[in-house]
Amino acid sequence: MSANQGLTLALSKGRIFEETLPLLRAAGIEVLEDPETSRKLILPTNREGVRVVLVRASDVPTYVQYGGADLGVAGRDVLHEQALAQGGSHGLYQPLDLNIARCRMSVATRADFDYVAAVKQGSRIRVATKYTEIARQHFADKGVHVDLIKLYGSMELAPLTGLADAIVDLVSTGGTLRANKLVEVEQIMDISSRLVVNQAALKLKRDTLRPLIDAFAGAVSA
Ligand code: ATP
Ligand code: MG
């Protein structure tokens, strides 16, 4: 395949896929299959040579960084976590905040855990999270001593079972926290999804990529 042929876009199923569709549409691209009903991992589009690959949210930066995809859409949570894990940056061109899949990264505890007092007293706090790098940096900046426990999902369960005092997780409406009787005690950062582009592809496929990035930019500010 020559360098100028084809464009591969990496997306994760769910929120990011759904909220990227209108942006693709603005760029004249229609995805021809629905990932919720299709079992395919490579989805064709109406544009010859443009395809969508479905990967785990946390795998999007990896696909784009190593050229498995030319571009992708990834949350700031995932991008920041992986940049910290790789010592600061990951050679991904990030031309656009797409302003989709918006939420925030927060600290939450059981309602009967006095977080403010624990911080004030300099207590050691047990924190469960999928985002250990972001959590490590956040608590280090605050001068709070933490024991971090790495989890891969269902973070809300950790304070309820006594596994941890607190969690660091994404919150949008707060509904999941409320349903599990947890309270948001601190906001760490605002999250939205960004467009990420492979550096080599940006040069080699500039003629295809540039109009696409511009169409996305137009649709975001519209
Ligand atoms: P993986 O499938 O890789 O384990 P996941 O299932 O935890 O990831 P999702 O919940 O599908 O990931 O979220 C994917 C992305 O969507 C996150 O990285 C984040 O940027 C965004 N996101 C997650 N939760 C919310 C939320 N409550 N509101 C808005 N955006 C969210
Ligand atoms: Mg998922």
Side-chain angles (χ1 to χ4, degrees):
M1 199 193 267
S2 97
N4 281 322
Q5 262 178 2
L7 210 58
T8 301
L9 168 67
L11 295 176
S12 54
K13 274 211 247 187
R15 215 171 325 239
I16 288 180
F17 182 87
E18 297 302 328
E19 296 187 27
T20 301
L21 285 185
L23 300 173
L24 285 171
R25 220 164 273 140
I29 298 171
E30 297 282 346
V31 182
L32 299 177
E33 270 181 81
D34 176 2
E36 298 307 324
T37 53
S38 169
R39 301 169 80 99
K40 286 187 188 166
L41 296 175
I42 300 180
L43 307 178
T45 72
N46 63 331
R47 278 261 298 274
E48 172 116 46
V50 178
R51 61 185 191 165
V52 169
V53 292
L54 296 174
V55 304
R56 290 284 293 265
S58 46
D59 288 338
V60 169
T62 310
Y63 269 82
V64 176
Q65 183 176 355
Y66 296 105
D70 299 301
L71 73 174
V73 177
R76 184 180 177 210
D77 50 327
V78 164
L79 291 168
H80 196 50
E81 179 70 15
Q82 296 191 6
L84 288 174
Q86 293 184 32
S89 105
H90 40 35
L92 288 171
Y93 177 54
Q94 297 184 37
L96 261 190
D97 184 343
L98 299 173
N99 230 350
I100 60 168
R102 289 166 60 92
C103 55
R104 56 193 182 271
M105 177 96 57
S106 295
V107 181
T109 67
R110 268 167 49 163
D112 60 5
F113 180 80
D114 194 340
Y115 177 72
V116 174
V119 167
K120 217 178 246 166
Q121 288 159 14
S123 313
R124 239 188 141 75
I125 301 174
R126 281 160 66 97
V127 179
T129 185
K130 179 160 110 174
Y131 304 98
T132 48
E133 297 300 327
I134 292 173
R136 192 189 320 283
Q137 187 179 53
H138 173 71
F139 291 109
D141 288 349
K142 282 173 64 82
V144 173
H145 294 288
V146 289
D147 290 317
L148 293 172
I149 301 171
K150 169 86 180 181
L151 290 179
Y152 293 90
S154 303
M155 261 75 79
E156 301 81 14
L157 207 49
L160 303 177
T161 54
L163 179 67
D165 303 311
I167 58 172
V168 167
D169 199 7
L170 300 176
V171 181
S172 50
T173 62
T176 306
L177 291 181
R178 266 192 303 281
N180 289 291
K181 297 193 165 61
L182 299 178
V183 290
E184 188 177 6
V185 292
E186 196 164 68
Q187 297 190 7
I188 299 178
M189 65 175 82
D190 287 324
I191 303 291
S192 56
S193 286
R194 283 128 195 259
L195 191 65
V196 291
V197 182
N198 177 274
Q199 301 269 19
L202 188 66
K203 297 192 187 86
L204 297 170
K205 303 185 180 181
R206 194 177 190 89
D207 295 347
T208 330
L209 272 170
R210 205 64 247 185
L212 190 58
I213 296 169
D214 291 345
F216 277 13
V220 169
S221 50

